[in-house]
Amino acid sequence: MKGLLETAAAVLLVVRRSLRQHALSTVVTVGSVALASGLVLAVVSLQAQTYEAFTAGPVGFDAVLGARGSQLQLVLNTVFHLETSPGNLSWETYETIRKDPRVALAIPYAVGDNYQGFRIVGTTADLFQAFEPRPGERLSFAGEGRAFAPSAREAVVGSYAAARTGLRVGSRFNPYHGVVFDEKQKHDDEYVVVGVLRPTNTPSDRVVWIPLEGVYRMSGHVLRGTGSAYTPRAGEEIPDASKEVSAVMLKLRTPQAGFALDQTINKQGRVATLAWPIGRVMAELFDKLGWANRVLTLIAYLTSLVASGSILASLYNTMNERRREFAILRALGARRATVFSAIVVEAATIALCGTLVGYAVYAAILLVARAVVRAQTGVVLDPLYLHPALWLGPLAMVALGALAGVLPALKAYSTDVATGLASS
Amino acid sequence: MTETHALEIAGLQKSFVDPEGGRRPVVDVPALRLAAGEQLALSGSSGSGKTTFLHLVAGILASDAGRILVSGQDMSAASEAQRDRIRARHVGYVFQAFHLLPGYTALENVALAMRFGRGVDLERARSLLARVGLRDHESYRPPQLSVGQQQRVAVARALANRPSLVLADEPTGSLDPANARSALALIRETCRENGAALLLVSHDRDILGGFDRVLPLAEINRAALAAPARMMEGAA
């Protein structure tokens, strides 16, 4: 046992000295392993996290009812506030679904405007009173905020939108027409911010909420609920028949209600589309993009192979100059196996150092990706997300590094002592 | 009870394949004995098979035939791993080119030999360096030391594992005459102090004068007699 410990200590000393003697190539190789390791961790972790966030993240609704068309477009438009609306639903359809006993909560959305690129969504005050993005957790206001009055030109701003646009309680702004910001498309109507929501870490943080009626009465907007154009006039109540909504967000009383509504609306009906369950719709999107994920993963794995190849090359290139060192070690009594182990351990050490630095690379990639995903979708990725790859990946990289050391180690193993001593 | 010699050789033979494919004998030593603590000098010209002979004794090379006992341990019948172990524990080797590891300090060079032998004893490593006059140089690396100082580190390293036999191959070959004499004296004294037998080979007859027993290598190596001019120094 003592002999084994002495040999292990000798191996570690040889490794330490070699790493120091070849500091430049060690640093370069560690750098390449770190990049590869960080890339693998980032790709695997981000894929898993985004999948989870988009398919099982906190949405707060079970289903979305929208115009006849693509369920995916409907979900992207209403849940993630991306894409354009597939069309409108009549007020009557909204009322029918709202009164359906299987529906616990129905909140209408009307979209089509933005402020500095952030979606403006017309809705009802039910959003602030009954909607729960996470079970038991309602939307709440930061500071002195409150919900908008249904008939006033008032707005409530999501936390991220507020931070990026500078809107705060008391701020006044004019909406812009369309879902993409174009400064020529400014509406005449001026809104005042009456509340800023606390962060929910959901896409809702990127939204500016206004009353449904505000969307109807926005300058330039025309309602076509009856089939013919109707422009609301000030002081005149808008007939329900003329009203339209872009979608209705639904909370169902039971999962069975989803099956029944899916049957009624999607399979038998021709007027509307029910996107249910929302996670399944998003999962289909990820399935369609599965090949891209697989390509990304493959590239990351290939990078790891290249990095382990760089370990092999950097060690192999030193073998000739180290032939004398191995011969001296052997002459001092080191066994072939000891010299072999020293090279394998050196390779594994380089890989280990690389993977440790790789965590920093991973953290940097994650921070950038987190900011980009949040800015684009409002989905917030967890920086402390624990994926098994975070420990399996580095272990595999160290094993791969050790494997890369086998070929140079075999060369060291086969060093002839007498020839090596004579080579100096 | 029979006395255990530091070295006993009987019928030792070693040959190498020459470029024509034939076998060229390099070492053919019928018998040689070295008592514990004895000091023997072998004189031989360059190419007479000195280094090959010492490599065989140290177990660095395997013999073709014959028997080598180092402190009773049969080197010739041992596997390579067993020879490594016997060498590490029982044999100290002072090479002509010293063969210190350049990236390691003087202390590490001595201590590393201990790791493969009887285990690290830093106190002994330090006292050995102090004995050879390098108390203040233990953290120096070989390139920072003079040739004479490097040689002294090599001597300290050879004695690190309390060997029963120290082999010295042209140990003064890299030194000027004055340094050569003092280095030789140091090797002989430290071997004596540590109870190690010394087998030294050199072509320099001037420095061998102090030995009680000096043998021409050709006298014990019949292969050297047969082909003294050009041995395969892959080999030597």
Side-chain angles (χ1 to χ4, degrees), chain A residues 2 6-7 9-10 13-14 17 20-21 324-325 328-336 338 417-418 421 424, chain B residues 55 60-61 80-81 84-85 87-88 95 97 99-104 108 112-113 115-116 118-120 141 157:
Chain A
K2 191 187 169 203
E6 291 284 359
T7 304
L13 180 65
V14 171
R17 286 292 171 270
R20 195 175 71 181
Q21 269 182 288
R324 179 170 168 263
E325 177 192 345
I328 295 171
L329 290 171
R330 294 288 323 283
L332 292 178
R335 294 183 187 184
R336 284 184 192 273
T338 305
V417 185
L421 291 175
S424 53
Chain B
H55 279 2
I60 288 173
L61 287 173
E80 187 185 63
D84 292 338
R85 189 174 175 79
R87 179 167 65 252
F95 299 95
H99 289 320
L100 299 178
L101 291 162
Y104 299 66
E108 285 171 342
L112 192 60
R115 291 216 183 272
F116 300 124
R118 296 179 190 276
V120 170
R141 282 194 280 278
R157 184 181 66 182

Side-chain angles (χ1 to χ4, degrees), chain A residues 108-416:
Chain A
Y109 278 5
V111 301
D113 293 315
N114 78 92
Y115 177 67
Q116 293 185 13
F118 290 94
R119 296 287 178 99
I120 291 176
V121 177
T123 187
T124 62
D126 285 348
L127 186 78
F128 309 110
Q129 288 151 10
F131 170 61
E132 295 180 348
R134 293 179 184 81
E137 185 185 308
R138 292 205 177 144
L139 295 176
S140 61
F141 293 93
E144 295 298 306
R146 62 168 174 83
F148 50 68
S151 303
R153 284 180 180 167
E154 292 178 342
V156 169
V157 188
S159 59
Y160 186 75
R164 299 304 298 262
T165 59
L167 290 177
R168 53 181 185 269
V169 174
S171 298
R172 292 177 181 278
F173 70 96
N174 290 75
Y176 291 79
H177 191 67
V179 292
V180 178
F181 179 62
D182 177 358
E183 58 185 18
K184 292 179 199 154
Q185 300 289 325
K186 190 175 180 180
H187 284 295
D188 296 333
D189 314 65
E190 187 179 76
Y191 278 75
V192 61
V193 177
V194 295
V196 173
L197 294 171
R198 287 207 175 92
T200 61
N201 292 338
T202 67
S204 301
D205 292 345
R206 298 177 68 250
V207 175
V208 177
W209 306 96
I210 64 171
L212 203 53
E213 191 157 336
V215 176
Y216 297 154
R217 294 185 182 278
M218 195 79 72
S219 58
H221 280 190
V222 175
L223 301 177
R224 298 178 191 275
T226 57
S228 53
Y230 170 81
T231 306
R233 293 186 196 89
E236 183 183 286
E237 195 171 328
I238 303 169
D240 285 349
S242 297
K243 292 178 184 172
E244 293 175 289
V245 294
S246 303
V248 185
M249 311 304 289
L250 301 175
K251 188 84 189 152
L252 305 178
R253 291 194 192 282
T254 62
Q256 289 73 20
F259 286 105
L261 287 171
D262 178 48
Q263 187 68 23
T264 312
I265 297 168
N266 291 334
K267 298 190 171 67
Q268 295 166 4
R270 292 167 186 269
V271 181
T273 293
L274 182 79
W276 174 87
I278 291 171
R280 193 259 308 157
V281 175
M282 289 306 293
E284 278 175 12
L285 170 66
F286 276 85
D287 289 344
K288 281 175 191 164
L289 296 175
W291 64 270
N293 283 338
R294 282 192 289 276
V295 168
L296 263 180
T297 310
L298 186 65
I299 290 171
Y301 287 152
L302 283 177
T303 313
S304 299
L305 277 181
V306 171
S308 64
S310 74
I311 295 177
L312 190 157
S314 74
L315 286 178
Y316 200 84
N317 287 340
T318 64
M319 284 300 113
N320 270 343
E321 76 177 72
R322 293 176 70 182
R323 201 158 61 138
R324 179 170 168 263
E325 177 192 345
F326 300 138
I328 295 171
L329 290 171
R330 294 288 323 283
L332 292 178
R335 294 183 187 184
R336 284 184 192 273
T338 305
V339 175
F340 180 91
S341 308
I343 302 302
V344 172
V345 170
E346 186 173 336
T349 305
I350 291 173
L352 178 66
C353 294
T355 54
L356 292 178
V357 181
Y359 279 115
V361 175
Y362 162 66
I365 294 175
L366 191 64
L367 280 179
V368 173
R370 188 170 184 257
V372 170
V373 171
R374 186 175 190 196
Q376 297 298 318
T377 68
V379 170
V380 178
L381 302 177
D382 181 5
L384 300 176
Y385 180 79
L386 290 179
H387 189 278
L390 289 181
W391 58 274
L392 280 176
L395 272 183
M397 191 69 233
V398 171
L400 205 58
L403 197 64
V406 167
L407 190 61
L410 282 175
K411 193 163 182 180
Y413 182 91
S414 62
T415 296
D416 180 75

Side-chain angles (χ1 to χ4, degrees), chain B residues 71-83:
Chain B
S71 292
Q73 308 277 318
D74 193 346
M75 191 72 96
S76 45
S79 66
E80 187 185 63
Q82 288 168 331
R83 293 203 310 270

